[in-house]
Amino acid sequence: DPEGFDRCYFPRHEVAVCKDLRRYQDRLGALFPRERKGLGTYFATLKSIWDEYHSGRVGMFLWKLQRFPHSCPTLRRSVGKTLCDLLDATITSKPLRAILAAQSGDYALPPSHADLIVHATTVMHFHEGAYYPYGGVQSLPDGLVKALTRHGGQLFLRQGVRRILLTR
C-alpha cells in the first residue's frame, strides 16, 4: 500500500510509513512540527547515502581510497556511524526517534548498534519500492518444489542423503 506499507503503533501515535519519502517526511513533520528541520537533515542524509551507494562509484573508488571521500562524501562520513549517531545529530523528540528507529527490527539491532549505512539502505529500499512475493515468502519454496517435480525430480523431507544421482 503506497499510503502505508508499514504501520508503527506507539502509545500516542500510529504512523503509516508511506512509500513517497517526501510525503512520509511531511506526515512526520505534521506530528512533530518542532522537528521539521531535523527531519529534513535526517532524510537528506539517508537519501544521500542511498544515492551514493547506488551511484556505481563505490566499487570503482574503494580500491583507491584517496578518491573515495570526494566521490561519496556522505558514505565516507557514515562509515562506523550508527543510527543513534544520526538521531543524536538531528532529532530531539524521543517518540519521533522511536518511530524513525521502528524498522530496526529488520536488522535486529538497537539504534546504538545499528550501522547507519545498513539502516539507510534498508529504509530507502522500502521507500524506493520494496517487493514481496504474491502468496508470501512460502511461495518461493513452493515454486521451487513445483519446478523440481515438473522436471521429474523428487523431494524428500528430513531424510539422510548417501548420494545424489544426476542424469540428463
Side-chain angles (χ1 to χ4, degrees):
D1 178 0
E3 288 303 314
F5 64 82
D6 216 351
R7 297 199 184 280
C8 304
Y9 298 93
F10 295 90
R12 294 184 183 179
H13 302 284
E14 175 186 334
V15 178
V17 183
C18 55
K19 181 181 181 292
D20 182 87
L21 192 63
R22 170 56 65 189
R23 192 163 51 220
Y24 183 51
Q25 182 178 334
D26 290 345
R27 189 176 284 178
L28 292 174
L31 288 172
F32 301 93
R34 292 186 178 145
E35 298 285 357
R36 286 185 197 273
K37 183 178 178 188
L39 282 165
T41 304
Y42 171 86
F43 283 112
T45 302
L46 296 188
K47 178 105 172 70
S48 184
I49 290 170
W50 175 262
D51 290 344
E52 289 176 14
Y53 190 83
H54 288 89
S55 68
R57 296 182 302 240
V58 174
M60 186 167 59
F61 290 116
L62 275 179
W63 65 277
K64 285 186 168 186
L65 285 178
Q66 70 271 16
R67 292 186 70 188
F68 182 69
H70 303 294
S71 64
C72 300
T74 308
L75 268 174
R76 182 69 176 126
R77 284 191 307 272
S78 300
V79 171
K81 300 287 186 189
T82 66
L83 169 56
C84 193
D85 292 330
L86 179 58
L87 292 174
D88 287 347
T90 57
I91 305 297
T92 58
S93 165
K94 288 185 179 191
L96 180 56
R97 290 168 64 100
I99 290 167
L100 294 171
Q103 291 170 318
S104 65
D106 291 344
Y107 39 82
L109 290 170
S112 60
H113 290 88
D115 183 86
L116 177 56
I117 295 171
V118 171
H119 173 74
T121 55
T122 300
V123 169
M124 289 304 298
H125 166 71
F126 291 126
H127 289 289
E128 291 289 320
Y131 299 94
Y132 190 78
Y134 287 108
V137 175
Q138 184 62 43
S139 64
L140 296 175
D142 291 348
L144 291 171
V145 170
K146 188 176 181 178
L148 176 72
T149 57
R150 185 176 42 228
H151 289 90
Q154 294 178 304
L155 178 68
F156 299 96
L157 300 176
R158 296 187 178 140
Q159 300 295 311
V161 175
R162 290 190 302 251
R163 64 186 176 154
I164 299 174
L165 299 176
L166 298 175
T167 59
R168 290 188 181 232

